[in-house]
Amino acid sequence: MNKTVERANAFIKEHSSKTEGRYRPRFHACVPVGWANDPNGLIFFGGEAHLFCQYNPYHPYWESMHWGHFVSRDLIRWDFLPVALAPDQNYDCGGGCFSGTALEHEGKLFLMYTGVAKNVQQQCLAVSEDGVTFEKAASNPVIPALLLPEGCSGRDFRDPKVFKREGIFYCITGVRDGKTGDLLLFRSLDLLEWSFVGRLRRGASSLTAASRAPTKEGAKKSRTCASCPFPSRTASSPSASFWTFRARKCS
């Protein structure tokens, strides 16, 4: 477990000057060195826009995901901050700190992310008071694979989207169920203790209708897995939630 935040930041400081040049982007969020993908946790906090991303500071390819961190006051010029998360715990050192959500609660900035250990993916929590330095929850993983319903695989259980409605926190995650994908709904009163509510694609008809997801029959034919769920609303239906998610072929 030597891939700590401190080690990552020291490596970036030592090597970032090697990537400066005339072709480096000036009006995009661009990591100083290494590999970046999947923007995570876009949020306004402390008067600034925060942008996180999947990040490997050590190599120009995907491996051992960290969370890179940028801030901006105009969404054009972005400053790179110290790495927010590194895979330094037994529940996230198997593959890294995968995608997730940022949200503000009681004046603090929380990150919910997928911790990838060997052969299992689970949802974890980190918190910051200053929006820069994050501390992982002692009770991680806060949504363990043990909460998964029968048939769902902890090997593909990731990308939590957390939101608050009427005083209750909800979390939607993608998961693999056999040869197809599913969306699961969890709830919590404090972000630390979570309970399983149901399936958004295979559960009660009201949940299935609200999710606007493809039919189970269509998913079986295409053998798709769902990940990166994200909520939105429309002007014509302001009280209804529509969920957008990424579909990919299941292995």
Side-chain angles (χ1 to χ4, degrees):
M1 298 183 188
N2 61 346
K3 291 184 177 177
T4 64
V5 167
E6 292 77 15
R7 179 178 176 233
N9 290 327
F11 183 91
I12 294 167
K13 182 178 180 180
E14 179 181 355
H15 295 277
S16 59
S17 62
K18 300 176 183 178
T19 63
E20 290 294 333
R22 61 180 296 187
Y23 298 111
R24 183 173 179 80
R26 300 298 179 187
F27 295 101
H28 301 279
C30 182
V31 294
V33 64
W35 166 280
N37 62 278
D38 283 22
N40 303 144
L42 284 74
I43 190 173
F44 279 96
F45 178 81
E48 295 179 307
H50 290 251
L51 165 65
F52 301 88
C53 66
Q54 293 287 274
Y55 184 37
N56 176 14
Y58 302 108
H59 304 288
Y61 51 79
W62 188 96
E63 184 185 71
S64 298
M65 288 293 98
H66 298 55
W67 272 41
H69 188 188
F70 300 86
V71 293
S72 174
R73 291 186 176 274
D74 58 11
L75 301 180
I76 297 176
R77 291 172 288 269
W78 293 90
D79 295 322
F80 187 78
L81 295 185
V83 168
L85 299 174
D88 58 0
Q89 301 296 319
N90 58 6
Y91 50 76
D92 58 24
C93 65
C97 304
F98 278 19
S99 295
T101 304
L103 71 158
E104 183 177 358
H105 176 54
E106 296 181 344
K108 300 177 182 179
L109 183 57
F110 288 82
L111 304 180
M112 178 79 90
Y113 70 98
T114 299
V116 182
K118 185 177 181 180
N119 298 324
V120 65
Q121 300 178 354
Q122 304 176 100
Q123 315 319 312
C124 305
L125 191 69
V127 61
S128 173
E129 294 190 2
D130 61 5
V132 178
T133 303
F134 291 85
E135 181 178 353
K136 295 178 181 178
S139 57
N140 277 338
V142 293
I143 307 182
L146 292 174
L147 292 182
L148 287 174
E150 184 178 357
C152 291
S153 172
R155 296 173 67 98
D156 288 295
F157 172 41
R158 58 182 176 270
D159 302 342
K161 173 59 189 178
V162 182
F163 61 98
K164 188 177 184 180
R165 179 170 294 180
E166 297 179 354
I168 299 175
F169 295 100
Y170 293 93
C171 177
I172 293 182
T173 65
V175 71
R176 179 162 60 89
D177 183 356
K179 292 296 184 180
T180 188
D182 208 344
L183 296 176
L184 304 182
L185 180 65
F186 300 85
R187 60 174 284 168
S188 173
L189 296 177
D190 60 4
L191 292 173
L192 293 173
E193 295 186 10
W194 292 83
S195 59
F196 175 66
V197 177
R199 301 172 183 258
L200 289 182
R201 296 186 68 189
R202 291 185 171 179
S205 58
S206 59
L207 288 177
T208 304
S211 70
R212 300 296 194 273
T215 64
K216 179 170 67 175
E217 291 74 20
K220 281 187 175 180
K221 289 180 181 179
S222 62
R223 296 176 62 188
T224 56
C225 292
S227 60
C228 298
F230 192 83
S232 60
R233 295 183 179 181
T234 64
S236 60
S237 303
S239 62
S241 293
F242 296 82
W243 288 91
T244 302
F245 60 93
R246 182 175 64 188
R248 64 177 180 83
K249 291 287 185 179
C250 292
S251 56

